[in-house]
Amino acid sequence: MYYSSGNYEAFARPKKPENVDSKSAYIVGSGLGALAAACFLVRDGQMKGEHIHILEKDNIAGGACDGYKFENVGYVMRGGREMDNHFECMWDLFHSIPSIETQGVSVLDEYYWLNKEDPNYSLCRATVNQGKDANTENKFNISDKGAMQIMRLFFTPNELLQDRKITDIFDEEVLDSNFWMYWRTMFAFENWHSALEMKLYIQRFIHHIGGLPDFKALRFTKYNQYESMILPMVKYLEGFGVQFHYGVNVVNVNFDCTTSKKQATGIEVIRDGNEETIYLTENDLVFITNGGCVENSTLGDQNTPAVFNTEIKAGGGWDMWRKIASQDTSFGRPDKFCYDPEQTNWMSATVTTLDQRIIPYIKNICKRDPFSGKVVTGGIVTAKDSSWLMSWTINRQPQFRDQPKDQCLVWVYGLFSDKVGDYVKKPMRECTGKEICMEWLYHIGVPVNEIEVMATKSANTVPCMMPYITAFFMPRAYGDRPDVVPQGAENFAFLGQFAETKRDTIFTTEYSIRTAMEAVYTLLDIDRGVPEVWGSVYDIRDLLNATVQLRDGKKATEMELGPKEKLVIEEVLNKIHGTDIEKLLKEYKVI
């Protein structure tokens, strides 16, 4: 496997890999990474569909990329996905996946047209005092000292950030700024999360720093992620005869490990309540989704809280990874990520409006009609003064194909599930759907005497507790996650958010798809490049632009400097006078 850039290889079709007709594949899980691996196997690996087996413990595919209406409960979206135009592996895949809505076009086509015709941006990023605009004015509001802390992190070698927390690098100069409010609520970072991952995020999305305050850098799918992304992939794979095995719980994968090679020899499963082993040869490829950010997630309903279930039981994704990791040190250290759910949990809730009483309060904040079919909030709106640090978003409506036209779906989430609410005097994790809705209504400005009636009669709210949703952000070191294809691996690979690959960032759709592409291309030796991570971190234009944007448009010459530093700047400016360097710095308003 190797990396490529540009469009030369992007449009090329690889030759059929040698001996692929004699190979089979077993894919553990059916999340985005698992489905992507199957797609790459049939598209680029040209493996026969009937030779590919997807083993899924639930009765539906999709993993964390869900969107479902539960009978007598309501619509549920555990999370949302924000996409970027430089998700190179994702768009490489989706240009080949046919739309299930429009004949003759791809998922990428319809996604591209939608976001071109209706570009995303927010008109209100944050509120205070019960729905009043916080007037952040798209400013980062960060001091020069804070900007220098971010810059130092940007240039710190990865090796010096092993097992370090964000608070080891940043103090209140960053943590009290609008920058951190934007960042932590958009990406779900906590102060105690990984400084290494924070650095990787800054580098990965350096070209979007200017779009962080108003989300103009983001793109979204038309419907929920299950209907927009997962269903088209499932239909595509079924068309090739790929075998989906639902209700099959993988509890372990067995390996034969020596100093020179490692081979998967068997998959232990529970099928229909019975234990069995799928025995493997060197021609049977295994793709393992290890860990799981939505493991142990639970739903409540309008009148019932979602249970905070932290117990890691046999048969779950974390237990499976523990059993795998016990067989070889190169298979990672799962307990670095799942040891403390108090540091990895947050809650979401899906609110369905049932009449028009709540809609005016939404319009007042987002300044758009939720029923226009176009962008509504343009991303999350954060209640800055919420003790839960609550944010909410409304994507284009309808979010489900069968959603009634007069209903609006709102996704709400809180980073601090253990904190007592500002209106509902209970921790979020103890609240029913109705009570979470009441807290949200309070923060969007509904009069206090109307809140309970609206939460009861004008909305249906489904809470979701996710104990391990940000487990992958926990401070880590190299080796804590297995490489996509570990050294010496003959017939297996790891997929998803707990596999290690270069430069890309977790908690993105791109990461899942990239690990799948790298896994398939490596094990089948596909002679086509995997698109490298977009290189904005090496582009001087993006770096200059980000430097100015981070300081809210202030020039480098306006920094608070001492007499010696000012003399140095003056001397440098004199030396570059009349050169292309000076022209470039002026073009990007650095000077």
Side-chain angles (χ1 to χ4, degrees):
M1 191 277 292
Y2 62 94
Y3 296 110
S4 64
S5 61
N7 62 16
Y8 176 63
E9 295 198 32
F11 304 128
R13 289 184 300 167
K15 292 182 178 179
K16 188 173 182 176
E18 188 176 354
N19 299 323
V20 71
D21 286 341
S22 64
K23 296 181 183 294
S24 295
Y26 293 87
I27 303 175
V28 178
S30 68
L32 185 60
L35 295 178
C39 290
F40 289 124
L41 284 169
V42 297
R43 189 194 73 175
D44 300 331
Q46 299 162 68
M47 182 179 283
K48 294 177 181 178
E50 59 268 28
H51 288 187
I52 301 170
H53 303 270
I54 296 176
L55 310 176
E56 171 56 53
K57 64 182 177 182
D58 295 324
N59 59 5
I60 191 172
C65 291
D66 60 358
Y68 194 74
K69 185 179 182 181
F70 290 88
E71 193 71 28
N72 300 319
V73 175
Y75 290 108
V76 174
M77 301 175 290
R78 285 183 293 188
R81 300 295 178 269
E82 302 158 337
M83 265 71 74
D84 163 51
N85 56 327
H86 286 303
F87 280 6
E88 308 299 333
C89 295
M90 182 173 185
W91 306 132
D92 185 293
L93 173 61
F94 277 115
H95 93 267
S96 299
I97 307 297
S99 164
I100 58 175
E101 276 205 313
T102 309
Q103 185 74 24
V105 305
S106 70
V107 171
L108 174 58
D109 291 333
E110 61 184 5
Y111 177 91
Y112 173 78
W113 296 336
L114 174 70
N115 286 278
K116 275 283 189 174
E117 293 165 6
D118 183 29
N120 190 78
Y121 60 96
S122 167
L123 293 172
C124 179
R125 177 61 180 85
T127 61
V128 291
N129 301 327
Q130 296 172 251
K132 293 181 174 60
D133 195 325
N135 294 314
T136 55
E137 298 178 332
N138 293 340
K139 300 291 187 184
F140 287 115
N141 191 30
I142 193 166
S143 66
D144 286 346
K145 288 182 180 179
M148 289 303 296
Q149 288 179 17
I150 294 171
M151 193 173 296
R152 279 196 293 272
L153 175 63
F154 185 92
F155 288 110
T156 299
N158 292 354
E159 292 74 17
L160 298 182
L161 296 173
Q162 308 293 291
D163 287 323
R164 299 190 70 186
K165 300 189 295 289
I166 288 169
T167 47
D168 293 337
I169 310 297
F170 295 160
D171 62 21
E172 65 276 1
E173 297 286 344
V174 174
L175 301 178
D176 291 343
S177 68
N178 281 349
F179 168 84
W180 186 239
M181 184 272 291
Y182 297 148
W183 191 277
R184 74 185 314 187
T185 55
M186 179 178 176
F187 298 119
F189 272 92
E190 303 278 18
N191 293 14
W192 54 82
H193 281 160
S194 168
L196 172 60
E197 196 62 37
M198 180 74 193
K199 175 202 171 176
L200 293 174
Y201 257 77
I202 295 172
Q203 291 191 334
R204 177 68 167 85
F205 298 113
I206 194 72
H207 53 289
H208 284 326
I209 289 294
L212 192 62
D214 64 2
F215 296 125
K216 65 177 178 284
L218 299 183
R219 289 152 179 80
F220 293 94
T221 53
K222 183 176 181 179
Y223 300 114
N224 64 81
Q225 55 220 1
Y226 176 77
E227 294 185 30
S228 288
M229 296 162 56
I230 300 300
L231 264 183
M233 297 172 78
V234 169
K235 297 297 183 186
Y236 174 79
L237 293 170
E238 288 175 343
F240 281 93
V242 171
Q243 305 294 298
F244 284 82
H245 303 273
Y246 295 110
V248 176
N249 190 0
V250 176
V251 296
N252 193 16
V253 180
N254 295 314
F255 299 88
D256 180 12
C257 299
T258 67
T259 54
S260 59
K261 73 172 188 175
K262 302 174 178 68
Q263 183 175 322
T265 58
I267 305 172
E268 297 177 14
V269 306
I270 299 175
R271 192 195 309 258
D272 299 325
N274 300 313
E275 297 180 3
E276 62 179 79
T277 299
I278 302 169
Y279 293 101
L280 307 170
T281 71
E282 61 183 13
N283 282 326
D284 296 314
L285 309 182
V286 185
F287 299 88
I288 305 162
T289 309
N290 54 305
C293 64
V294 291
E295 190 78 22
N296 283 43
S297 64
T298 59
L299 298 179
D301 60 30
Q302 175 81 343
N303 299 303
T304 310
V307 177
F308 187 28
N309 174 22
T310 63
E311 183 183 0
I312 295 176
K313 294 182 178 180
W318 291 109
D319 181 67
M320 180 192 71
W321 187 12
R322 283 174 170 173
K323 289 174 179 173
I324 288 172
S326 68
Q327 299 177 59
D328 193 270
T329 56
S330 69
F331 296 165
R333 291 179 277 270
D335 285 283
K336 286 291 287 286
F337 304 97
C338 66
Y339 77 95
D340 186 2
E342 285 293 348
Q343 297 188 56
T344 60
N345 80 85
W346 46 259
M347 289 191 70
S348 70
T350 309
V351 180
T352 304
T353 65
L354 304 177
D355 57 32
Q356 298 302 302
R357 294 186 67 185
I358 297 173
I359 303 303
Y361 299 95
I362 292 171
K363 287 183 177 179
N364 184 56
I365 292 173
C366 70
K367 303 173 181 65
R368 293 183 174 116
D369 178 7
F371 298 108
S372 68
K374 295 182 179 296
V375 167
V376 185
T377 59
I380 58 172
V381 180
T382 297
K384 279 184 68 175
D385 51 355
S386 162
S387 59
W388 295 350
L389 195 54
M390 174 187 282
S391 298
W392 57 278
T393 185
I394 302 174
N395 289 327
R396 298 178 183 95
Q397 301 294 305
Q399 270 293 282
F400 288 77
R401 288 181 176 84
D402 68 352
Q403 181 182 325
K405 292 183 179 180
D406 60 349
Q407 293 184 359
C408 176
L409 287 191
V410 186
W411 186 75
V412 178
Y413 97 103
L415 272 178
F416 304 140
S417 72
D418 60 329
K419 304 299 183 185
V420 173
D422 303 294
Y423 177 76
V424 178
K425 302 300 183 180
K426 296 168 65 175
M428 189 177 188
R429 65 179 62 168
E430 296 178 12
C431 288
T432 65
K434 171 186 165 182
E435 290 168 332
I436 291 174
C437 184
M438 289 167 65
E439 186 79 2
W440 173 63
L441 293 175
Y442 172 80
H443 280 291
I444 67 171
V446 173
V448 170
N449 63 338
E450 299 179 38
I451 286 176
E452 185 165 7
V453 173
M454 282 198 198
T456 304
K457 297 183 177 181
S458 299
N460 180 70
T461 304
V462 184
C464 177
M465 165 55 82
M466 295 170 283
Y468 300 103
I469 186 61
T470 49
F472 35 63
F473 281 162
M474 292 297 284
R476 69 174 191 274
Y478 287 134
D480 290 342
R481 304 186 302 190
D483 289 341
V484 171
V485 181
Q487 185 73 29
E490 299 276 312
N491 67 335
F492 66 94
F494 293 95
L495 306 174
Q497 306 296 311
F498 296 95
E500 186 78 46
T501 188
K502 295 178 181 178
R503 287 184 51 215
D504 220 336
T505 52
I506 48 181
F507 213 3
T508 61
T509 50
E510 173 72 355
Y511 199 89
S512 291
I513 294 172
R514 174 172 293 280
T515 58
M517 195 175 192
E518 293 184 359
V520 171
Y521 276 43
T522 300
L523 294 186
L524 286 182
D525 195 22
I526 293 175
D527 192 15
R528 177 179 183 258
V530 172
E532 68 174 357
V533 173
W534 182 248
S536 53
V537 68
Y538 306 120
D539 191 322
I540 187 64
R541 299 166 300 180
D542 286 316
L543 296 176
L544 293 175
N545 185 60
T547 302
V548 174
Q549 295 281 353
L550 183 62
R551 300 181 62 251
D552 297 326
K554 290 186 288 187
K555 297 177 173 58
T557 49
E558 297 172 11
M559 289 188 71
E560 297 178 8
L561 300 171
K564 289 183 179 179
E565 290 86 354
K566 287 181 180 178
L567 284 174
V568 171
I569 292 289
E570 189 175 333
E571 187 175 336
V572 169
L573 291 177
N574 286 334
K575 290 195 174 187
I576 65 171
H577 179 65
T579 68
D580 279 346
I581 296 175
E582 182 186 49
K583 287 173 62 178
L584 185 67
L585 295 179
K586 285 184 175 180
E587 180 182 351
Y588 287 91
K589 299 180 173 57
V590 179
I591 60 175

